[in-house]
Amino acid sequence: MKTAFSMMRLRRWCALAASLAVVALALGGALAASTVDPAFEPILRRLAADGLPESKLRRLFARAELVFSPRAMADKLTALYMRKYGLRLVADVQAGLAALGWYPGPVDGKLDRMTRWSIKTYQSAVGLPPDPVATEALLRELGTTPRRAPAGLVFPEFPTAEVHEVVLSAERMAEAREFYAQNRAALARTREAYGVPEEYLVALLAVETRVGRYLGDEVAVVNLASLVAGEDPARLAPAFAYEKPAADRQAWLNKKALEKGEWAYGELRALLRYAEAQGIDPLSIPGSIYGAIGICQFMPSNALKYAVDGNGDGKADLFDVPDALASLGNILRAMGWKQPMSEEAMRKVFYGYNHSQVYVNTIMDAARRLREAPASGTTKP
């Protein structure tokens, strides 16, 4: 059964899709090719060359929601660039904070835990909402409100194993325990079929989607199509205007954009095929900024490979709890989950699911907390 939050969100998406379908029908169901966003026209033609029906694609890409946005590719490339080179904007913010006594670390352009803590602490001191992001507005604020740190400011010592603290908060763990209690039967079936204990399934879903309460505010098709179109360097120039990359670094960015665009094209094609197989409107599918979908946040290519029917209704609906749990068990087993397993082996599987040690640390910690404080409550089938 779907969670109440998932159902409400899906109803809103379906209502929007239905409204748009009515409009398309009123227009005769055949919109002119000129209404397709020019950034998407080459993608449409490539998809058609790969065997997807062009007339159907044109109706889809002519709809109002399908408008190019540089945000997804800019976000991805900024993260990669910062990891490799450091960002000038972050370095300038670090230098400004350090000059006022708010930051004790290196000026390296990396938005690490200490930098984020320093930003939030400074923002709170000057009456700004705490938002640990380096921005040009923050840099201007450091210049116009040069408030020095108080004498004797104590800087935190962060543990070596970084986690997503918000996921482990009392509120979010309470959500996880409630989900655990309400879906014991489906969780048990998944454990029996795929060997993954309940606490690890719930912990992963807690990290990914707040156990189905947050499925993403993006339209997966739009983001994936925008990632493909974002491989054009000219479309991303504004995102790196402050950075002003040297020629060699710009060449590296261009190469990464092409790699990510090619990856996104495969995921876009997979998403359209998944939607066709499930009999749903592609634009009714919410997702993450990078196109992950469902309660377990599968990339569409994984949805085609690993989504399974967990409740016997003949569909593999990743927005349905039994289906999502069974699909999650299926992919984890395919990635090497088997019992008995060492913690090191578990970590390797979760890292394969999402290449982030912080992500893995958070899942392991959340699972431990779920074991130590078992859920209780009503069980759903």
Side-chain angles (χ1 to χ4, degrees):
M1 295 180 67
K2 298 180 175 67
T3 65
F5 285 87
S6 299
M7 288 295 290
M8 289 188 290
R9 188 176 293 276
L10 285 173
R11 288 193 191 102
R12 289 197 296 269
W13 281 90
C14 291
L16 174 62
S19 299
L20 289 167
V22 170
V23 171
L25 185 61
L27 292 174
L31 299 175
S34 61
T35 61
V36 175
D37 188 316
F40 293 154
E41 181 66 32
I43 302 170
L44 186 157
R45 293 178 181 176
R46 185 178 175 186
L47 288 166
D50 277 349
L52 279 71
E54 184 170 356
S55 59
K56 192 169 185 177
L57 287 170
R58 289 202 171 278
R59 287 194 296 272
L60 174 68
F61 276 83
R63 288 166 60 177
E65 308 100 299
L66 266 162
V67 177
F68 170 74
S69 168
R71 189 170 73 89
M73 184 65 88
D75 181 87
K76 172 58 73 176
L77 291 184
T78 297
L80 293 173
Y81 189 96
M82 180 171 64
R83 189 182 308 158
K84 184 173 180 65
Y85 299 113
L87 285 169
R88 178 180 297 175
L89 180 56
V90 174
D92 289 348
V93 167
Q94 288 171 329
L97 290 166
L100 297 172
W102 295 101
Y103 174 66
V107 178
D108 59 4
K110 308 292 179 68
L111 195 65
D112 59 11
R113 282 179 282 179
M114 183 59 77
T115 303
R116 295 196 299 270
W117 180 89
S118 296
I119 290 173
K120 289 194 296 182
T121 305
Y122 167 79
Q123 289 169 329
S124 297
V126 298
L128 294 173
D131 184 17
V133 179
T135 64
E136 292 184 57
L138 174 59
L139 193 58
R140 288 192 296 270
E141 183 69 29
L142 285 165
T144 57
T145 313
R147 179 175 298 185
R148 296 199 63 81
L153 177 64
V154 178
F155 296 101
E157 292 186 8
F158 296 102
T160 303
E162 184 178 0
V163 296
H164 294 300
E165 294 288 354
V166 66
V167 176
L168 302 175
S169 67
E171 178 184 1
R172 293 283 289 271
M173 290 306 299
E175 292 174 354
R177 290 187 181 94
E178 180 183 1
F179 178 89
Y180 195 146
Q182 292 179 341
N183 295 281
R184 284 186 182 278
L187 286 162
R189 287 197 302 271
T190 301
R191 171 176 47 76
E192 291 164 3
Y194 301 101
V196 186
E198 289 88 334
E199 65 268 25
Y200 292 102
L201 296 166
V202 177
L204 188 148
L205 296 183
V207 176
E208 290 287 355
T209 59
R210 293 178 58 192
V211 290
R213 294 174 182 241
Y214 179 74
L215 301 171
D217 290 329
E218 312 286 340
V219 181
V221 166
V222 176
N223 277 355
L224 287 170
S226 292
L227 279 165
V228 181
E231 66 186 23
D232 181 350
R235 295 194 173 109
L236 297 174
F240 289 87
Y242 189 93
E243 188 65 31
K244 297 181 176 61
D248 61 328
R249 296 186 179 188
Q250 185 62 57
W252 181 87
L253 276 172
N254 295 348
K255 178 183 177 183
K256 286 299 175 184
L258 285 172
E259 290 174 1
K260 297 304 175 184
E262 187 64 22
W263 166 83
Y265 176 78
E267 295 299 337
L268 174 62
R269 184 177 55 195
L271 180 60
L272 294 174
R273 287 175 172 164
Y274 174 78
E276 180 73 21
Q278 297 300 313
I280 53 180
D281 178 359
L283 285 176
S284 73
I285 303 175
S288 74
I289 189 172
Y290 303 129
I293 62 172
I295 298 171
C296 46
Q297 291 291 275
F298 274 16
M299 291 310 301
S301 58
N302 283 334
L304 288 179
K305 293 177 186 175
Y306 300 110
V308 293
D309 178 11
N311 60 7
D313 67 356
K315 292 185 177 182
D317 181 0
L318 293 173
F319 295 90
D320 177 85
V321 170
D323 289 3
L325 288 172
S327 301
L328 181 55
N330 191 33
I331 193 173
L332 291 177
R333 184 175 65 179
M335 294 172 71
W337 193 284
K338 57 184 178 180
Q339 293 293 1
M341 284 190 81
S342 66
E343 179 174 330
E344 181 182 358
M346 292 179 187
R347 285 179 167 275
K348 185 176 180 180
V349 170
F350 288 131
Y351 187 81
Y353 196 88
N354 186 325
H355 293 353
S356 164
Q357 289 296 347
V358 180
Y359 176 90
V360 175
N361 292 341
T362 307
I363 288 177
M364 299 303 289
D365 200 330
R368 176 184 60 78
R369 296 180 188 216
L370 289 168
R371 281 196 304 274
E372 292 174 352
S376 61
T378 305
T379 300
K380 293 182 180 179

